[in-house]
Amino acid sequence: MPQTLVLNATYEPLGVVSERRALILVLNQRATTIEESDTVLHYSGGAITLPAVIKLVKFVRIPYRHAVPLSRRALFARDGGRCVYCAAPATSIDHVIPRSRGGSHNWENVVSACHKCNHQKADRTLKEIGWKLKTLPREPAGAAWRILGTGKPDTRWISYLRPFGAEHGVA
Ligand SMILES: [Zn+2]
């Protein structure tokens, strides 16, 4: 189902809603259309193009920032789509401290890896295998990351997401 990116009045990305829900917000003058989608809705009186990006008229305060959901897509985006050990295209998730050794499934313990490195590392720690990480894994920061995890972003969203933390993998 096509979705619409919702921006706060400040242009900060807030999330995604269905195109029809977005249209209702626009018709109720709670939001304005910033980018149009390819979907044209026909009705008795004519036709209207559904929005790809809308911006809320009034600023909405978000009191609590939810953690960025850990997904394969978001993880690959964080690590630039590459294996952190050999820079080959990422195809799997590696737990830095293996799960079998008590490593947890969180942003601080997962990295993008290729199958070869993942298989080679197996259930060993980095110290045991003599590998090093260039940067310590951590939770990505920025509003755009919440949206990255929700599905395939529309190409028209990219320029609105980029200033808010999603440098990689938005395509
Ligand atoms: Zn690799």
Side-chain angles (χ1 to χ4, degrees):
M1 190 184 191
Q3 292 187 306
T4 300
L5 174 66
V6 183
L7 306 175
N8 212 337
T10 52
Y11 283 90
E12 182 186 357
L14 289 177
V16 292
V17 295
S18 72
E19 281 183 344
R20 277 165 193 262
R21 170 86 186 126
L23 179 64
I24 291 165
L25 288 169
V26 172
L27 294 178
N28 290 340
Q29 296 175 342
R30 291 181 55 206
T32 53
T33 300
I34 303 289
E35 300 271 349
E36 290 186 332
S37 74
D38 299 324
T39 314
V40 179
L41 192 69
H42 295 274
Y43 61 102
S44 57
I48 191 163
T49 306
L50 297 184
V53 182
I54 60 169
K55 182 167 78 73
L56 296 181
V57 172
K58 277 191 188 159
F59 176 74
V60 174
R61 187 170 297 279
I62 312 157
Y64 173 71
R65 292 249 178 252
H66 289 279
V68 178
L70 174 52
S71 68
R72 184 184 168 95
R73 177 189 299 278
L75 175 65
F76 285 8
R78 183 197 71 179
D79 294 343
R82 298 274 158 185
C83 172
V84 296
Y85 304 118
C86 75
T91 53
S92 66
I93 296 172
D94 178 54
H95 292 88
V96 180
I97 299 165
R99 300 214 74 177
S100 60
R101 309 277 292 269
S104 43
H105 186 67
N106 60 31
W107 281 109
E108 289 75 27
N109 192 47
V110 292
V111 289
S112 302
C114 69
H115 275 299
K116 196 170 159 239
C117 289
N118 209 338
H119 185 74
Q120 201 180 340
K121 182 167 166 284
D123 62 351
R124 287 178 288 181
T125 64
L126 291 180
K127 202 174 175 185
E128 286 166 355
I129 197 172
W131 291 0
K132 278 202 173 90
L133 285 170
K134 287 186 195 83
T135 53
L136 281 180
R138 55 191 183 91
E139 182 176 327
W145 287 96
R146 285 195 310 278
I147 291 149
L148 267 178
T150 63
K152 188 169 171 54
D154 189 305
T155 49
R156 279 164 294 223
W157 299 357
I158 295 170
S159 55
Y160 301 94
L161 295 177
R162 193 160 283 149
F164 292 92
E167 295 108 15
H168 308 293
V170 189

